[in-house]
Amino acid sequence: MKKADPNPKANRNILKLVYVIVALFLGLIAYMAYFLQVRGEDVINNSYNARLDSFADRIIRGKILASDGTVLAETQIDGDGNETRVYPYGSVFDHAVGYSTKGKTGIESLANFFLLTSHVNLMEQALNQMSGEKNLGDNVYTTLDPQLQQAAWDALGDRRGAVIAMEPDTGKILAMVSKPGYDPNTIAADWETLTSEENDQGQLLNRVTQGMYPPGSTFKIVTALEYMRERPEDYKNFQFDCSGLYVNGDYQIRCYHGNAHGHQDFTLAFANSCNGAFASLGLDLDLGRFAKTAQDVLFNSPLPLSGLPYKQSSFAMKPGAGTWEILQTSMGQGVTQVTPLHNALITAAIANGGTLMRPYLLDRVENVGGEEIRKFLPTAHGNLMTAEEAANLTELMRAVVTEGTGSAVRTDAYTVAAKTGSAEFETGKETHAWFTGFAPAESPKIVVTVVVEEAGSGGREAAPIARQLFDLYMSR
């Protein structure tokens, strides 16, 4: 006869404890997996990670190279053994490559772990250690195209602003320019001036990732997307008569320089960037759905950019907003703010059939012998819109070039889909000039986004900069 358990309650408590321990163990494993796959590299490369810099005592910092092998940063050693970090292109790659003297920024920060890791053969490492010599760090190849970078830097000239070029189907960042900038070779000597309270130039700010601007008419991409979502069957039936001034009660909306566009359908209103048309259709939108669409394209959300500091773009309009806020927001004004990076990502998603690829700057890591240590591959972030929506937006953006404000990028050599913008930001000051687009329109290979501060018309000032990059890339 089977005996009864003398203490069933104690056994149940022990079993519960075992379950808790197992759950904690599994949770720890899950967190470690998450950390290694998602957060580990960011923590390791964090500029506040003091332990990592201790590697510099036994490793000579590796080189940073462009996609074609052009040296963008290297450590040179004089006869006395003094190390100097040298940037052959000076300020041309300043914000993209960064610096490593006064803290670390850009790729110098992003790739810090790899640059201070050595994969020379074990025999050489042992001999160096015995002789007190440092090992050579690994070299990092970037996605940056030196010709496109130089072209963007030259085209922006002495003006303040930003340019970013990327591949929509991979996420590779090909060029990243922010002005005004600095010379990383003299960052230590210039530090006091660059960080002075009297300095209002913002040379250390990477305007591509951290510059917050009103999007102006480039935001009409988002407004158009929402309008198409709410009226999938009849959005093309939209009609508007533009006199150059749209009046709604006590409120007035002017088209750029008071241009009267005349009779506009939906495509022409987008192509001509008609403020009155988009302000009026904004009043018919469901503001809750509008906010959701803005969130779908990553407003008020983290961007899929790892390792570089950036600002989140903001969209503040909510259900119950007043007429003036709706009119302003629908045409890209009001308090909406966006970075050039974010504008480029929205454009890249359209070019890639609705799917956004994660932007990245590091292509591969090699040891000094040329052996590949790590390869970075394209990864998808997710769908910002459907393929049909992306195709419809591409059609609208083609009309901007063929019939509207983007004529500066019109050419028989290739096709471009784009949106221009002129963003008001302060009374009495000239507008910021915007351009964002991709080429070729039917099979996109490159996205270019440009903002030129206080320059006026996007079609006149920003589009020609993009044209130079398109011409260079498409001529290859």
Side-chain angles (χ1 to χ4, degrees):
M1 185 175 178
K2 188 176 180 181
K3 292 184 179 180
D5 191 329
N7 195 348
K9 185 176 180 180
N11 288 340
R12 284 196 299 270
N13 289 338
I14 292 173
L15 191 59
K16 288 179 181 178
L17 180 61
V18 170
Y19 288 154
V20 170
I21 293 173
V22 171
L24 290 172
F25 181 70
L26 293 175
L28 180 61
I29 292 176
Y31 175 77
M32 289 299 295
Y34 166 79
F35 179 85
L36 290 173
Q37 293 296 320
V38 180
R39 295 283 299 141
E41 199 168 292
D42 288 348
V43 173
I44 289 171
N45 284 322
N46 191 294
S47 59
Y48 292 102
N49 186 352
R51 288 188 61 191
L52 194 55
D53 286 334
S54 66
F55 292 2
D57 294 337
R58 49 191 174 86
I59 294 174
I60 298 172
R61 192 173 185 82
K63 297 178 182 178
I64 297 175
L65 306 105
S67 58
D68 65 354
T70 301
V71 176
L72 305 180
E74 63 180 340
T75 299
Q76 295 181 355
I77 306 174
D78 64 19
D80 296 325
N82 299 312
E83 298 178 9
T84 303
R85 195 67 169 169
V86 176
Y87 303 88
Y89 284 82
S91 57
V92 175
F93 288 84
D94 51 4
H95 291 93
V97 171
Y99 53 81
S100 63
T101 303
K102 289 285 188 176
K104 294 174 181 62
T105 62
I107 294 169
E108 288 280 29
S109 174
L110 179 64
N112 196 31
F113 176 75
F114 306 116
L115 296 168
L116 288 176
T117 300
S118 178
H119 283 87
V120 299
N121 65 68
L122 294 177
M123 180 64 72
E124 186 176 347
Q125 286 192 47
L127 290 174
N128 285 337
Q129 187 170 0
M130 287 187 292
S131 62
E133 297 290 330
K134 290 185 176 182
N135 290 306
L136 294 174
D138 293 336
N139 298 323
V140 173
Y141 283 78
T142 71
T143 61
L144 294 169
D145 182 314
Q147 290 183 327
L148 284 174
Q149 181 79 12
Q150 185 72 60
W153 195 85
D154 291 342
L156 192 54
D158 295 331
R159 294 171 291 183
R160 298 160 65 106
V163 182
I164 179 172
M166 61 184 294
E167 292 180 353
D169 57 342
T170 65
K172 287 183 178 181
I173 296 175
L174 305 176
M176 178 185 287
V177 171
S178 174
K179 288 191 176 184
Y182 59 90
D183 186 346
N185 290 300
T186 59
I187 192 73
D190 300 337
W191 189 254
E192 186 174 343
T193 300
L194 291 170
T195 58
S196 168
E197 292 183 1
E198 288 74 35
N199 182 1
D200 61 356
Q201 298 301 301
Q203 295 99 322
L204 297 178
L205 178 74
N206 185 348
R207 284 166 163 78
V208 173
T209 62
Q210 297 173 295
M212 294 286 279
Y213 301 92
S217 292
T218 62
F219 189 77
K220 289 170 184 169
I221 292 172
V222 184
T223 306
L225 176 59
E226 174 57 25
Y227 191 76
M228 291 189 295
R229 285 181 171 181
E230 292 192 26
R231 293 167 174 76
E233 304 299 328
D234 67 347
Y235 71 87
K236 290 187 177 181
N237 295 331
F238 174 83
Q239 304 291 323
F240 183 82
D241 290 310
C242 174
S243 65
L245 177 67
Y246 170 68
V247 179
N248 186 295
D250 295 331
Y251 304 118
Q252 296 183 350
I253 297 294
R254 292 185 182 276
C255 283
Y256 188 69
H257 284 178
N259 292 332
H261 297 117
H263 187 74
Q264 302 285 284
D265 61 16
F266 190 63
T267 300
L268 280 176
F270 187 89
N272 291 319
S273 205
C274 181
N275 287 340
F278 272 79
S280 69
L281 69 79
L283 294 172
D284 293 330
L285 296 177
D286 181 313
L287 299 191
R289 292 181 61 177
F290 199 179
K292 174 63 167 57
T293 291
Q295 185 176 354
D296 288 345
V297 295
L298 303 181
F299 278 87
N300 305 326
S301 302
L303 298 180
L305 180 69
S306 178
L308 293 181
Y310 67 86
K311 295 284 184 67
Q312 284 190 25
S313 299
S314 62
F315 177 86
M317 188 169 66
K318 298 177 181 179
T323 299
W324 182 245
E325 183 178 0
I326 297 172
L327 296 175
Q328 288 284 300
T329 303
S330 299
M331 63 180 192
Q333 293 294 159
V335 297
T336 304
Q337 297 274 291
V338 71
T339 62
L341 169 67
H342 187 190
N343 238 345
L345 295 184
I346 294 172
T347 308
I350 296 169
N352 198 42
T355 301
L356 175 63
M357 302 301 290
R358 292 179 176 272
Y360 67 106
L361 278 161
L362 305 187
D363 180 71
R364 66 188 185 277
V365 180
E366 293 184 358
N367 67 12
V368 292
E371 180 184 357
E372 187 174 288
I373 304 302
R374 180 169 177 177
K375 177 70 175 177
F376 298 89
L377 299 175
T379 57
H381 170 70
N383 295 325
L384 303 194
M385 63 196 71
T386 68
E388 181 180 3
E389 290 169 340
N392 291 336
L393 287 172
T394 297
E395 183 180 339
L396 292 175
M397 294 169 73
R398 276 293 294 138
V400 171
V401 178
T402 59
E403 303 178 58
T405 59
S407 60
V409 293
R410 188 187 308 157
T411 172
D412 293 332
Y414 53 87
T415 57
V416 181
K419 186 70 190 79
T420 64
S422 303
E424 298 178 4
F425 69 101
E426 186 176 323
T427 302
K429 290 193 174 183
E430 186 58 274
T431 57
H432 296 321
W434 274 104
F435 174 94
T436 190
F438 54 88
E442 67 279 3
S443 181
K445 301 298 182 186
I446 181 173
V447 166
V448 177
T449 298
V450 179
V451 64
V452 187
E453 296 180 10
E454 300 183 51
S457 165
R460 187 180 64 247
E461 300 296 336
I465 293 174
R467 172 67 181 268
Q468 294 188 48
L469 271 67
F470 286 140
D471 283 350
L472 175 60
Y473 185 90
M474 297 301 296
S475 67
R476 296 173 175 175

